[in-house]
Amino acid sequence: MVVRAEAEPPRRSGRPRRSTREAASGDPRSEILAAAGRLFAERGVGGTTMVEIARASGLRQSSLYYYFRNKGHVLEAIVVEANRVPLRMIEQVREAGGPAPVQLYRIIRADVAALSSLPYDLNEIHRLAGRDPETFTRYWEEREQLVDAVTQVIRAGIDAGELRQMHPRLAALTILSNDEGTQNWLRVAGGPTARDASATRAGLGGTHAIGGFLADLVVRGLLVDASTIDGVRQAADGLDATAVLDL
Amino acid sequence: MVVRAEAEPPRRSGRPRRSTREAASGDPRSEILAAAGRLFAERGVGGTTMVEIARASGLRQSSLYYYFRNKGHVLEAIVVEANRVPLRMIEQVREAGGPAPVQLYRIIRADVAALSSLPYDLNEIHRLAGRDPETFTRYWEEREQLVDAVTQVIRAGIDAGELRQMHPRLAALTILSNDEGTQNWLRVAGGPTARDASATRAGLGGTHAIGGFLADLVVRGLLVDASTIDGVRQAADGLDATAVLDL
DNA sequence: CCCCTTTTCGAGCCGTTATCGAAAGCTGCA
DNA sequence: TGCAGCTTTCGATAACGGCTCGAAAAGGGG
């Protein structure tokens, strides 16, 4: 079986579709991804069948395999974005400069918001990607970059004497997994009763506020002088107000 | 279809098994759970089939349904323990008394260790339980108790003027999800390369050390006077050294 | 006009969950 | 002794999901 390459050379000829629906936009590959993304978000990866994805993109089930080797590869194509959004954000924050604690504060707050606004549950992805590292090489590479970036910010803070002495990578991993953990209960919302994120937000504040709480907590815990947290928060607020991070 | 009740009235008669293996211990129900537990731990829930569970407990696939309505109920029966272990631990810590920050410190450190030593990945459970709240009622109830308990500890700390002013439930949720997040990367170990928890521990310390790091970070972030963290840690160390928490 | 390439489809294989009815023991009672 | 009823196990099979395969249905170039 040969799978249609990602970078498309020729196009459009072939046997006509039985269903004409959704022939709208350009290439089928993107349409499949769009449809799959919607469905994964709605019902989770495990809860979505290839037949459903096919129907939603105007194809028959078996035609999907012309574009993707299997279901995992459909997911992979969607999910590279999951790490890229936070990566871009961190880059922007680092370029903006400023003291390490302020950078860290902004990173944490924005990361929580970014992860929470992903249509799918990052934990599900994380698990699936863990079970099939071959398919998800890109995912793991970019996650590693994420850890590296945060590690460097922390190291800089330690060197500048602003952050306490600690194992920078351990701290980075802890922070990132905290962000993911927070995303997780924002999504599941602490129980089956209030399942969607908006319900949680109503009770406890938006993702910005909740991310802010986490950032406050963590950065304060890392600071050499905890009392400087107020200045850090104000600086972060100022920067986030002016330079809107485009996610 | 009638499922054999959980509390067993009569027992043992019926058609003999084709395979005699594993007729060892008492009731089949426990044997199934034991086997399923092992397999879930080894290959994850999704990666384990009912045929495998059956074979491992000396039965045929269809016989499992005499004891459990479906695969989800097998999982549910195993997984109630997931919340009970931390619950018992928190109770012990609270009974031991002492300042709220110390209690919190001990709770966080022990929770990370407890979650990490679970044979299965709590995140997978969390997700499955979220998708099927009916089956997992007990799970959610006990998780709610967990949140409540931590909330109360925090509230006590605030009232005593030891912890900063904050939304106690928000803080409790954040802390618990951080523990879960930490468990998550301890398990997946930051990437597909070093997949088992021991590999991670080798690099960054045991679950006790990593839990300690998180506890340090979080409690310090919550303290009114961050400089008291050293006393808190020492108190916690002392208590954990003497009164060994039985998990 | 016919062959080649591209795209799509239908049929079907295989593995998994779950159901159903029957088989195979045991127990107790006529 | 024999048989009726209960409990436990099994085999067959339905339903469904992922994935493969070979062929059909176009368009384009010689």
Side-chain angles (χ1 to χ4, degrees):
Chain A
M1 174 202 49
V2 180
V3 173
R4 185 78 160 58
E6 188 162 355
E8 73 282 35
R11 238 170 61 197
R12 273 284 138 186
S13 128
R15 174 170 173 172
R17 300 188 177 179
R18 249 166 141 277
S19 152
T20 47
R21 285 190 313 141
E22 192 81 18
S25 100
D27 68 318
R29 215 189 142 82
S30 322
E31 277 170 38
I32 293 171
L33 289 179
R38 251 178 288 128
L39 290 167
F40 286 168
E42 214 173 284
R43 327 180 185 188
V45 178
T48 303
T49 74
M50 292 299 269
V51 177
E52 290 170 327
I53 299 176
R55 193 157 34 219
S57 31
L59 288 167
R60 307 291 185 186
Q61 186 256 36
S62 62
S63 304
L64 295 181
Y65 293 83
Y66 182 69
Y67 295 97
F68 297 94
R69 196 182 312 280
N70 54 42
K71 195 177 173 183
H73 276 79
V74 177
L75 178 61
E76 200 276 341
I78 294 179
V79 126
V80 271
E81 180 201 8
N83 284 325
R84 281 193 188 153
V85 171
L87 258 175
R88 275 207 309 274
M89 179 271 295
I90 292 185
E91 248 166 65
Q92 284 183 37
V93 168
R94 294 185 70 192
E95 276 167 16
V102 176
Q103 289 186 33
L104 209 52
Y105 193 103
R106 300 180 70 200
I107 287 173
I108 294 173
R109 186 162 57 183
D111 194 32
V112 169
L115 296 184
S116 300
S117 73
L118 287 178
Y120 35 79
D121 181 351
L122 189 61
N123 277 281
E124 186 177 11
I125 310 306
H126 209 69
R127 275 201 39 262
L128 293 170
R131 293 216 164 268
D132 183 7
E134 308 295 317
T135 303
F136 290 87
T137 341
R138 281 192 292 175
Y139 177 83
W140 289 117
E141 281 170 6
E142 289 176 359
R143 193 184 150 77
E144 188 54 33
Q145 289 175 31
L146 210 58
V147 177
D148 281 348
V150 175
T151 304
Q152 283 174 41
V153 172
I154 293 175
R155 201 190 311 277
I158 297 174
D159 292 345
E162 297 160 324
L163 299 184
R164 294 194 288 156
Q165 211 65 38
M166 72 190 102
H167 192 312
R169 190 179 157 80
L170 171 57
L173 280 166
T174 303
I175 289 173
L176 287 175
S177 60
N178 285 1
D179 293 354
E180 284 161 23
T182 302
Q183 173 262 166
N184 197 30
W185 69 255
L186 265 176
R187 195 170 299 273
V188 186
T193 341
R195 187 81 69 56
D196 78 318
S198 52
T200 313
R201 284 185 210 123
L204 301 169
T207 56
H208 186 78
I210 293 178
F213 179 79
L214 183 63
D216 232 81
L217 173 66
V218 170
V219 174
R220 193 169 187 276
L222 296 177
L223 279 170
V224 169
D225 180 0
S227 66
T228 59
I229 184 67
D230 293 319
V232 169
R233 180 180 32 244
Q234 279 164 27
D237 283 347
L239 287 165
D240 283 341
T242 55
V244 172
L245 296 176
D246 85 73
L247 306 175
Chain B
M1 173 202 49
V2 180
V3 173
R4 186 78 159 61
E6 189 163 351
E8 73 280 35
R11 238 169 63 199
R12 272 284 139 185
S13 125
R15 174 171 175 171
R17 298 188 177 178
R18 256 171 133 269
S19 152
T20 48
R21 285 190 314 139
E22 193 81 20
S25 102
D27 69 317
R29 215 189 142 82
S30 322
E31 276 171 38
I32 293 171
L33 290 178
R38 251 178 289 129
L39 289 166
F40 287 167
E42 213 173 285
R43 327 182 186 188
V45 178
T48 303
T49 74
M50 292 299 268
V51 177
E52 291 168 327
I53 298 175
R55 192 157 33 219
S57 32
L59 288 166
R60 307 291 184 184
Q61 186 257 66
S62 63
S63 304
L64 296 181
Y65 294 84
Y66 181 69
Y67 295 98
F68 297 94
R69 197 183 310 281
N70 55 42
K71 193 176 172 183
H73 277 79
V74 177
L75 178 62
E76 199 274 342
I78 294 179
V79 125
V80 271
E81 180 201 10
N83 283 326
R84 283 195 188 150
V85 172
L87 259 176
R88 275 207 308 274
M89 179 272 294
I90 292 186
E91 249 168 62
Q92 285 184 36
V93 169
R94 294 184 69 192
E95 277 168 16
V102 176
Q103 289 186 33
L104 209 52
Y105 193 103
R106 299 181 72 201
I107 287 173
I108 294 173
R109 187 163 57 184
D111 195 31
V112 169
L115 296 185
S116 301
S117 72
L118 286 179
Y120 35 81
D121 181 351
L122 188 62
N123 278 280
E124 186 178 11
I125 310 306
H126 209 71
R127 274 203 43 262
L128 293 170
R131 293 211 165 270
D132 182 7
E134 307 295 318
T135 304
F136 291 86
T137 339
R138 281 192 292 176
Y139 176 84
W140 289 116
E141 281 171 6
E142 289 176 359
R143 192 185 151 77
E144 188 54 32
Q145 289 175 32
L146 209 59
V147 177
D148 280 349
V150 175
T151 304
Q152 284 175 40
V153 173
I154 293 174
R155 200 191 311 277
I158 297 174
D159 291 346
E162 297 159 327
L163 299 184
R164 294 193 288 156
Q165 212 63 40
M166 72 189 101
H167 191 312
R169 190 179 157 81
L170 172 56
L173 280 166
T174 304
I175 288 173
L176 286 175
S177 60
N178 286 2
D179 293 354
E180 284 161 23
T182 302
Q183 173 263 167
N184 198 29
W185 68 255
L186 265 176
R187 196 171 298 274
V188 185
T193 341
R195 188 81 70 55
D196 79 318
S198 53
T200 313
R201 285 188 210 119
L204 300 170
T207 56
H208 185 79
I210 293 178
F213 179 79
L214 182 64
D216 232 81
L217 173 66
V218 169
V219 174
R220 193 170 189 276
L222 296 177
L223 280 170
V224 169
D225 180 359
S227 66
T228 59
I229 184 67
D230 293 319
V232 170
R233 180 180 31 243
Q234 279 164 27
D237 283 346
L239 286 166
D240 282 341
T242 56
V244 172
L245 297 176
D246 84 73
L247 306 175

